[in-house]
């Protein structure tokens, strides 16, 4: 049983406000919920109302050191646990998360403003699936027999790296935490997660639930600001691997700090994902796919959002009109309401950034802003960070809205006439995370898929990250892969060669 400084509910709860209060002001270190050593906290705000719903512990280097020291002690024993048994424990974690899916969906909707039905509950379910998937891979931590000489037995073995520092963002914090924690644990590492400032509660609740199953210290979590909490985690001498999801600018800082220690890094840094639509596509399926691709239900706050849509000219006008009509039918409102399709932007700072892009696009000569959906009418939501989705047409390739990641409900649709020309435009980007192609001509689709500069290319669909499918970008979208067996083997173990001379 956890040694808790205050009471948190043992069983799943349907009151996210009470749960948020119960989780206030603590990290989870060595199996215990503990306050920051400084006693400092910072507010957690419901972006749908502007009201403070909790406080998070404001960690610093002292808290990070305590978490890392705990992880380092626990990792030695954890690495000796047979791999399949580690996997079985991680699989048991999946079952525990699945029992709390509704609770976690409510909690993440409260702190991030993501709609419960379309986003938050779905994310919680995928988290359980990720732990379940990696829990079954303990037996895949295999080495090889290497032919060297008749009198020499030469084999390789997979060994854990040690303590993994994981830094996660706020847009899908539970899922991105799972993609880092589950494979790291199965591989025999211990983990310290630094949560996002804007969304620390649901990931803390998951950490608490999993610490009922895992040995103390194997999975720790701290919250705080980047420079005061994230930077000491990356720099800590006992951290032997860093996995980070966030902005390109911060990713470069993390990479430089890790380079000083010569430790491996996995970086997922965002995207400006193109969606290419040919006139021979299944039109209704493609319009529906565009709504999913743009992640409108998440207010466009996704690295894989199709924020550049290229439509073959014969169907361009019809596509724009029907896409607008489809977004208009989506309901924007209280994230905790089952009727809501679209929730809020995460924070005031992000709201202002997105609004500045919209204002710039609207003021661009020749551009048209197709403003969609409708603001919520509930007076209780008047202070909420709601932004109506916007579809821009008439912007050229030099526009910031075409070139920069907005991370909001804004997409630009442009017509094209030639496959080679649109391929060149799609590849003319600093990013290379994801892309999608929509055509019934699979010869054309496969040809372009091979030549698109992206880590994940989908034809006639644009699913979110799925367990067992390798996920990660090229160019400024990052380094390394997640979500697959490959990710566990290549990014959370190192390969040791052992040779035995039998003469």
């Amino acid at each position: 049983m956890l040694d808790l400084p205050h009471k948190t509910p043992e069983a799943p709860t349907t009151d996210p406000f009470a749960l948020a209060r119960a989780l206030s002001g603590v990290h989870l270190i060595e199996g215990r919920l503990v306050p920051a050593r400084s006693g400092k906290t910072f507010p957690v705000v419901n972006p749908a109302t502007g009201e403070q719903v909790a406080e998070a512990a404001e960690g610093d280097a002292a808290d990070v050191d305590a978490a890392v020291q705990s992880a380092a002690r626990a990792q030695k024993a954890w690495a000796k646990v047979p791999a399949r048994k580690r996997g079985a424990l991680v699989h048991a974690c999946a079952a525990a998360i699945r029992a709390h899916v509704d609770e976690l969906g409510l909690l993440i909707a409260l702190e991030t403003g993501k709609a419960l039905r379309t986003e938050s509950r779905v994310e919680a379910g995928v988290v359980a699936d990720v732990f379940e998937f990696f829990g079954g891979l303990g037996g895949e931590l295999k080495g090889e027999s290497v032919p060297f000489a008749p009198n020499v037995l030469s084999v390789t073995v997979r060994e854990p790296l040690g303590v993994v520092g994981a830094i996660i963002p706020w847009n899908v914090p539970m899922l991105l935490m799972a993609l880092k924690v589950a494979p790291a644990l199965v591989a025999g590492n211990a983990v310290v997660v630094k949560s996002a400032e804007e969304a620390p509660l649901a990931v803390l609740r998951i950490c608490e639930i999993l610490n009922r199953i895992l040995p103390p210290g194997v999975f720790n979590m701290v919250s705080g600001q980047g420079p005061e909490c994230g930077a000491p985690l990356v720099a800590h001498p006992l951290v032997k691997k860093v996995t980070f999801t966030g902005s390109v600018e911060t990713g470069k800082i993390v990479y430089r700090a890790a380079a000083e220690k010569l430790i491996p890094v996995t970086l997922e840094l965002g995207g400006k994902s193109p969606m290419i639509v040919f006139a021979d596509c299944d039109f209704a399926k493609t319009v529906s796919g565009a709504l999913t691709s743009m992640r409108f239900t998440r207010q466009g706050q996704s690295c894989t959002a199709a924020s550049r849509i290229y439509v073959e000219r014969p169907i361009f006008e019809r596509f724009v009109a029907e896409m607008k009509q489809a977004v208009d039918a989506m309901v924007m409102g209280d994230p905790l309401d089952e009727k809501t399709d679209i929730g809020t932007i995460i924070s005031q700072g992000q709201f202002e950034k997105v609004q500045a892009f919209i204002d710039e696009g609207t003021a661009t000569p020749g551009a048209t802003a197709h403003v969609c959906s409708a603001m919520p009418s509930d007076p209780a939501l008047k202070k909420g960070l709601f932004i109506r989705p916007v579809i821009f047409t008439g912007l050229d390739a030099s526009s910031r809205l075409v070139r920069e990641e907005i991370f909001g409900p804004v997409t630009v649709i442009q017509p094209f006439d030639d496959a080679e020309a649109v391929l060149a435009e799609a590849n003319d980007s600093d990013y290379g995370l994801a892309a999608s192609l929509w055509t019934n001509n699979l010869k054309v689709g496969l040809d372009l898929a091979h030549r698109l500069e992206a880590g994940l290319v989908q034809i006639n669909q644009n699913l979110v990250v799925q367990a067992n499918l390798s996920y990660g970008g090229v160019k400024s979208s990052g380094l390394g892969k997640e979500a697959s067996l490959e990710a566990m083997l290549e990014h959370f173990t190192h390969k040791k060669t052992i040779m035995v001379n039998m003469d």
Side-chain angles (χ1 to χ4, degrees):
M1 179 64 64
L2 294 175
D3 179 14
L4 304 177
H6 53 220
K7 183 66 176 175
T8 57
E10 186 78 15
T13 175
T14 57
D15 185 348
F17 294 91
L19 183 57
R21 291 191 295 271
L23 291 167
S24 280
V26 289
H27 308 300
L28 202 152
I29 299 174
E30 203 157 5
R32 298 182 299 119
L33 289 168
V34 295
R37 272 125 180 93
S38 67
K40 293 181 180 179
T41 62
F42 60 92
V44 180
V45 175
N46 175 3
T49 63
E51 297 174 345
Q52 180 175 328
V53 295
E55 295 179 333
E58 188 166 347
D60 58 21
D63 301 286
V64 169
D65 182 62
V68 173
Q69 295 284 356
S70 169
R73 289 191 296 270
Q75 192 271 330
K76 292 180 174 60
W78 180 244
K80 295 177 182 177
V81 174
R84 288 187 64 193
K85 186 174 180 180
R86 292 198 302 262
L89 288 170
V90 171
H91 200 277
C93 290
I97 294 168
R98 207 173 295 283
H100 287 260
V101 160
D102 287 339
E103 171 195 87
L104 292 168
L106 288 163
L107 187 58
I108 201 70
L110 177 65
E111 65 178 330
T112 67
K114 294 194 304 182
L116 174 63
R117 173 178 54 81
T118 58
E119 283 289 335
S120 295
R121 189 183 292 120
V122 175
E123 181 186 351
V126 176
V127 170
D129 184 59
V130 168
F131 274 88
E132 190 171 76
F133 168 73
F134 281 108
L137 295 182
E140 297 302 315
L141 291 159
K142 302 171 182 175
E144 302 159 325
S145 174
V146 182
F148 179 74
N151 64 326
V152 176
L153 173 65
S154 180
V155 299
T156 64
V157 294
R158 291 279 181 180
E159 295 186 342
L161 301 174
V163 177
V164 173
I167 301 176
I168 59 175
W170 45 257
N171 61 327
V172 275
M174 298 188 298
L175 171 58
L176 293 172
M177 178 199 69
L179 291 174
K180 301 175 190 311
V181 171
L185 292 178
V186 173
N189 304 283
V191 185
V192 178
V193 171
K194 188 269 182 193
S195 60
E197 297 93 316
E198 298 85 351
L201 300 177
V203 289
L204 177 61
R205 178 61 165 171
I206 291 175
C207 188
E208 178 199 355
I209 293 166
L210 269 51
N211 267 271
R212 301 170 188 168
I213 298 168
L214 299 169
V218 167
F219 180 18
N220 308 270
M221 180 165 293
V222 293
S223 54
Q225 309 302 312
E228 292 77 23
C229 189
L233 179 60
V234 176
H236 199 288
L238 293 180
V239 170
K240 303 303 182 183
K241 156 81 182 189
V242 174
T243 173
F244 169 86
T245 300
S247 70
V248 174
E249 293 75 17
T250 305
K252 290 178 179 178
I253 294 171
V254 169
Y255 201 18
R256 283 193 290 267
E260 289 294 321
K261 297 162 54 182
L262 293 177
I263 62 171
V265 178
T266 301
L267 302 172
E268 199 270 273
L269 305 179
K272 192 68 180 173
S273 302
M275 174 179 179
I276 301 174
V277 179
F278 286 88
D280 69 346
C281 69
D282 181 327
F283 190 84
K285 177 181 178 181
T286 304
V287 171
S288 176
L291 304 189
T292 303
S293 297
M294 228 334 271
R295 315 291 188 240
F296 277 124
T297 55
R298 201 186 299 168
Q299 278 281 22
Q301 297 171 127
S302 170
C303 300
T304 58
S307 52
R308 296 185 291 153
I309 302 179
Y310 301 95
V311 180
E312 200 166 12
R313 196 174 300 275
I315 62 169
F316 176 77
E317 296 293 343
R318 179 186 170 205
F319 187 90
V320 172
E322 296 211 15
M323 185 172 171
K324 182 185 186 310
Q325 184 179 15
V327 183
D328 280 339
M330 300 174 78
V331 176
M332 189 184 305
D334 182 355
L336 296 172
D337 190 332
E338 294 281 357
K339 296 188 293 293
T340 296
D341 297 306
I342 302 174
T344 74
I345 298 293
I346 183 72
S347 66
Q348 184 65 38
Q350 186 65 17
F351 179 94
E352 292 171 0
K353 175 189 172 186
V354 173
Q355 190 60 56
F357 273 106
I358 294 172
D359 292 344
E360 180 177 328
T362 303
T364 301
T368 300
H370 305 268
V371 183
C372 307
S373 190
M375 295 291 282
S377 58
D378 186 347
L381 304 177
K382 65 181 180 180
K383 294 183 180 179
L385 301 176
F386 297 92
I387 289 183
R388 295 174 66 189
V390 183
I391 299 168
F392 277 99
T393 56
L395 291 172
D396 64 33
S398 65
S399 169
R400 283 205 317 136
L401 281 76
V402 175
R403 304 205 65 81
E404 297 184 19
E405 187 174 38
I406 300 172
F407 231 64
V410 182
T411 190
V412 178
I413 306 183
Q414 298 169 284
F416 75 90
D417 300 294
D418 176 75
E420 292 300 320
V422 77
L423 176 67
E425 281 199 59
N427 286 340
D428 183 20
S429 173
D430 292 335
Y431 295 100
L433 182 58
S436 67
L437 296 152
W438 301 77
T439 175
N440 282 323
N441 187 332
L442 291 184
K443 180 179 179 181
V444 170
L446 287 170
D447 173 59
L448 294 181
H450 283 292
R451 294 191 286 149
L452 276 166
E453 295 170 357
L456 173 64
V457 181
Q458 301 183 59
I459 300 176
N460 296 331
Q461 66 175 28
N462 195 351
L463 302 176
V464 296
V465 181
Q466 303 287 316
N468 202 31
L469 295 176
S470 183
Y471 173 72
V474 297
K475 300 193 286 190
S476 289
S477 287
L479 301 168
K481 300 294 181 181
E482 295 185 307
S484 64
L485 172 62
E486 166 201 10
M488 181 176 74
L489 296 178
E490 297 302 322
H491 301 312
F492 293 107
T493 72
H494 70 85
K495 185 183 287 188
K496 175 186 285 184
T497 300
I498 299 175
M499 302 177 74
V500 181
N501 190 314
M502 295 182 291
D503 282 347

